[in-house]
Amino acid sequence: QVQLVESGGGSVQAGGSLRLACAASGYTSSRYCMGWFRQAPEKEREGVAAIDSDGSTRYADSVKGRFTVSQDNAKNTLYLQMNSLEPEDTAMYYCAADPSTAGWWLLLRHSWYRYWGQGTQVTVSS
């Protein structure tokens, strides 16, 4: 059973930085796409950044130039470096994984992903 455990959330002032991590275990395939999604109260879950199984990445327009997604394959860990945080970034952040190659069109679509973590809260104050 694939398990994803997020860490690194917290409270920060606008302009600050946070680094989220997602530790994965139980992988049975060598090919996975992984991504970060977020959901604010009364809003739909949205894709933030993701890495496909071939290493290609995709970012939501709202975070381009501020967030960076990366992974450490040896540690089965996905990271999200978040800089220049804004109050609008406040949300519960979720890590997701799927044993597939998503392709550009599906990489940030939350319905594509089979496995999900429990989430970590990020709060940005102005």
Side-chain angles (χ1 to χ4, degrees), residues 8 15-16 24 35 38 42 59 61 64 73 90 103 114 120 124:
R38 66 187 181 187
E42 301 183 345
Y59 295 88
D61 289 343
K64 282 181 181 176
N73 290 326
T90 296
R114 186 177 310 181
T120 185
V124 184

Side-chain angles (χ1 to χ4, degrees), residues 8 16-17 22 25 31 34 36-38 44 46 50 54 60 76 87 94 96-97 101 103-106 112 118 125:
S17 297
C22 171
S25 61
R31 184 184 67 175
M34 295 188 73
W36 290 99
F37 295 77
R38 66 187 181 187
E44 292 187 2
E46 63 173 348
D54 62 1
N76 277 347
Y94 298 91
T101 300
W104 190 86
W105 289 105
L106 296 174
W112 180 257
Q118 293 300 307
S125 58

Side-chain angles (χ1 to χ4, degrees), residues 9-123:
S11 297
V12 65
Q13 289 192 326
S17 297
L18 285 173
R19 188 193 195 203
L20 305 184
C22 171
S25 61
Y27 276 172
T28 58
S29 171
S30 61
R31 184 184 67 175
Y32 276 84
C33 55
M34 295 188 73
W36 290 99
F37 295 77
R38 66 187 181 187
Q39 188 165 17
E42 301 183 345
K43 291 190 176 181
E44 292 187 2
R45 189 169 297 192
E46 63 173 348
V48 176
I51 293 181
D52 213 339
S53 60
D54 62 1
S56 58
T57 60
R58 185 178 175 187
Y59 295 88
D61 289 343
S62 59
V63 307
K64 282 181 181 176
R66 300 188 298 123
F67 291 10
T68 303
V69 62
S70 61
Q71 63 185 26
D72 183 333
N73 290 326
K75 296 181 179 179
N76 277 347
T77 301
L78 182 73
Y79 300 99
L80 184 67
Q81 178 66 43
M82 304 186 295
N83 299 328
S84 301
L85 282 161
E86 304 169 351
E88 292 75 21
D89 296 317
T90 296
M92 184 71 78
Y93 282 71
Y94 298 91
C95 172
D98 192 84
S100 66
T101 300
W104 190 86
W105 289 105
L106 296 174
L107 200 53
L108 290 183
R109 186 170 295 183
H110 65 82
S111 60
W112 180 257
Y113 289 81
R114 186 177 310 181
Y115 304 108
W116 290 85
Q118 293 300 307
T120 185
Q121 177 68 37
V122 171
T123 302

